[in-house]
Amino acid sequence: MRFFGLKTCDTCRKALKSLAEAGFSPEVIDVRKDGVAADDLARIVSQFGEGAINRASTTWRGLTDDEKQGDPVALLSDHPTLMKRPVIDADGEWTIGWKAEVQAKYLGD
């Protein structure tokens, strides 16, 4: 299991704690510190499309209108903190966010 997130993100910290309590030991990839490999970024965007971009973030609000219209892969490559988090790759099955349905998938009902 690979976990793409930010160490400073409260949601990511909650998700990691819950996953650890459930017996998972994910490989954590800090999108700011470690970056995201080009093939992983392409896979995330192909899997989630525009939903991979966190439009509620301060980074998003700081972009120009032209930047906001750019290619999502290029946008996330230039601004990895724009990625909606966490993104989890569990043996080729990808999830995004930490809403109830994602929690149920990994933690059970």
Side-chain angles (χ1 to χ4, degrees):
M1 173 183 284
R2 297 184 307 149
F3 183 101
F4 297 84
L6 283 173
K7 292 183 180 176
T8 58
C9 171
D10 288 338
T11 301
C12 291
R13 285 194 294 240
K14 288 176 191 172
L16 281 170
K17 182 180 179 194
S18 296
L19 288 168
E21 289 171 354
F24 293 99
S25 298
E27 171 193 353
V28 178
I29 297 137
D30 186 302
V31 298
R32 179 183 291 133
K33 182 179 157 233
D34 305 322
V36 181
D39 57 333
D40 286 328
L41 196 53
R43 176 64 190 244
I44 290 166
V45 171
S46 73
Q47 188 81 24
F48 304 108
E50 296 284 328
I53 297 174
N54 180 1
R55 286 178 166 68
S57 74
T58 55
T59 303
W60 176 259
R61 291 191 297 267
L63 296 176
T64 66
D65 287 341
D66 285 343
E67 288 174 312
K68 290 177 181 177
Q69 300 304 317
D71 173 60
V73 173
L75 197 57
L76 289 171
S77 181
D78 292 343
H79 306 280
T81 59
L82 275 176
M83 183 183 299
K84 193 174 284 186
R85 306 174 295 270
V87 173
I88 301 171
D89 169 20
D91 298 321
E93 288 191 44
W94 294 74
T95 58
I96 194 165
W98 194 243
K99 301 267 188 222
E101 65 274 3
V102 175
Q103 292 178 39
K105 178 178 180 62
Y106 297 112
L107 309 177
D109 292 327

